[in-house]
């Protein structure tokens, strides 16, 4: 029986499972967590800690049809200027609560399109953040950059603010595919943006590319990946396109009959994967690739790779605070999410309160299962020794739990006293294996194909 037939038998091509950028996943957040919890958890941060900060800018000049993020289109700066004022107020509110000596280990601006901010607005936002939590010598400041929505003056402002990692969205370079997903972006524009970023001394460049898009073939995927490799990115995220038109209405513009089959999706992923490996990139988890000296590669080799809402990270901070509409924060105590709608978020901040509307308080079992899932997603193994050392579970109880998972995958996993290991041939099943560890009921909201 060939590999694809065996993967099909195990249900890969029919599975709907989360990406596990959190545990529990966001559909399981509830209304029991509010602004009071958020402020209490901030106050509990130890003095002198290093924390991470995520800033969400939910505006775009163009709304790409493939995107399922919470964004809104605008051709005017007026709503962006108003939103920036809200962010500055929110940052000041946070600053009044942060314990003494807190500094930033990571700062990330996402969206939406953060680069639609004008240079002065970028400088204002960066300055407001530094006023409440200064950088360390090793702080990583990353920004998501749309090559079609950037210029020299804005890059100058970002570089002056301390940006040392830039992330550019590529998706695919094929013109027919770009037209079908509503995102025209030529190779020349992307190349020029990458060169301008490098010219300003930005040390690291990330790129995102998608597989599973309409009209994609192995030949087209090969051409797009080769063009991307010519830009020499330090890190690449190879994400599977999730077609969820019932959730993201703009995806109704994309013809479903032009999408590849699940089996073709796997072949597209494997085509891109082979090209990245042949070019000397390290494979990071299920969908990232990085140069050997990139932070993700270093963290993976050292056993310090982690998973968060941006995917894989080498950030080991216990606290990630999200600012802006819909942002999610993670504390040792649990998750807290801001109001998704910009209007509701703004109204709360104007009233002098944080907009936390939902979240989740961790139980002991959440922490145990969340760490096991993170190990699977990052290292393709559950280290039994580390789990029994760090959590209240006996070796016997853990072995019984892992045995159930091993049996569910019919001998394709390796189980011994050291823990559970996913061999290379079974790694397309990683999210399904993680789902087996997940104790929560399956919820279709927000889930996407396993491949």
């Amino acid at each position: 029986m060939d590999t694809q037939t065996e993967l099909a038998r195990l249900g890969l091509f029919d599975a709907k499972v989360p990406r596990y950028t959190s545990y529990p996943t966001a559909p399981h957040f509830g209304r029991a967590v509010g602004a009071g919890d958020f402020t209490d958890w901030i106050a509990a941060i130890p003095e002198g800690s290093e924390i991470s900060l995520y800033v969400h800018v939910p505006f775009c000049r163009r709304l790409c049809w493939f995107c399922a993020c919470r964004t809104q289109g605008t051709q005017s700066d007026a709503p962006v200027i108003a939103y920036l004022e809200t962010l500055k107020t929110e940052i000041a509110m946070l600053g009044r609560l942060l314990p003494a000596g807190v500094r930033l280990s990571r700062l990330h601006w996402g969206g939406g399109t953060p680069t639609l901010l004008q240079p002065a607005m970028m400088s204002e936002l960066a300055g407001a953040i530094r006023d409440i939590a200064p950088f360390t010598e090793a702080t990583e400041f990353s920004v998501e950059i749309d090559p079609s929505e950037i210029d020299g003056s804005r890059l100058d402002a970002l570089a002056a603010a301390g940006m040392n990692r830039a992330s550019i969205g590529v998706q695919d370079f094929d013109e027919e595919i770009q037209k079908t997903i509503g995102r025209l972006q030529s190779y020349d524009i992307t190349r020029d943006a990458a060169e301008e970023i490098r010219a300003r001394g930005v040390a690291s460049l990330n790129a995102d590319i998608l597989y599973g898009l309409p009209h994609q073939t192995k030949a087209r995927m090969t051409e797009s990946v080769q063009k991307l490799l010519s830009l020499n990115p330090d890190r690449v995220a190879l994400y599977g396109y999730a077609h969820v038109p019932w959730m993201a209405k703009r995806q109704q513009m994309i013809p479903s009959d032009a999408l590849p089959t699940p089996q073709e999706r796997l072949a597209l992923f494997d085509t891109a994967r082979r090209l990245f490996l042949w070019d000397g990139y390290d494979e990071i988890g299920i969908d990232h690739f990085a140069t050997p000296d990139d932070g993700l590669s270093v963290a993976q080799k050292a056993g310090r790779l982690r998973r968060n809402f941006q995917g894989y990270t080498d950030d080991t901070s216990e606290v990630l605070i999200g600012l802006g509409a819909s942002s999610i924060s993670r504390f040792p105590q649990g998750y807290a999410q801001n109001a998704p709608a910009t209007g509701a978020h703004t109204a709360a901040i104007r009233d002098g309160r944080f907009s936390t509307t939902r979240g989740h308080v961790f139980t002991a079992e959440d922490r145990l299962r969340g760490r096991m899932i993170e190990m699977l997603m990052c290292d393709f193994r559950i280290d039994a020794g580390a789990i029994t050392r760090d959590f209240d579970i006996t070796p016997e109880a853990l072995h019984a739990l892992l045995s159930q998972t091993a049996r569910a995958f019919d001998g394709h996993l390796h189980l011994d006293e050291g823990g559970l290991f996913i061999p290379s041939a079974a790694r397309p099943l990683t999210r399904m294996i993680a789902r087996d560890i997940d104790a929560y009921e399956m919820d279709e909201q927000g889930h996407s194909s396993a491949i």
Side-chain angles (χ1 to χ4, degrees), residues 191-205:
R191 179 203 59 213
D192 291 349
E195 290 178 352
E196 290 295 317
I197 290 166
R198 297 283 197 195
R200 284 159 177 80
V202 177
S204 301
L205 181 67

Side-chain angles (χ1 to χ4, degrees), residues 307-351:
R307 188 93 170 139
N308 69 10
F309 295 107
Q310 277 77 56
Y312 290 101
T313 181
D314 55 351
D315 182 23
T316 56
S317 173
E318 291 292 316
V319 174
L320 167 64
I321 296 177
L323 298 173
S326 79
S327 289
I328 301 175
S329 300
R330 186 193 191 282
F331 298 90
Q333 298 89 341
Y335 296 114
Q337 183 171 17
N338 293 344
T342 303
H345 174 72
T346 298
I349 300 301
R350 285 177 178 169
D351 286 345

Side-chain angles (χ1 to χ4, degrees), residues 285-299:
I286 63 168
D287 54 16
H288 279 55
F289 300 85
T291 57
D293 58 349
D294 181 81
L296 288 188
S297 292
V298 174

Side-chain angles (χ1 to χ4, degrees), residues 59-76:
F59 299 98
C60 294
R61 298 293 185 207
R62 57 178 179 175
L63 292 176
C64 306
W65 303 337
F66 72 90
C67 180
C69 298
R70 291 197 67 93
T71 58
Q72 57 195 82
T74 181
Q75 296 304 310
S76 164

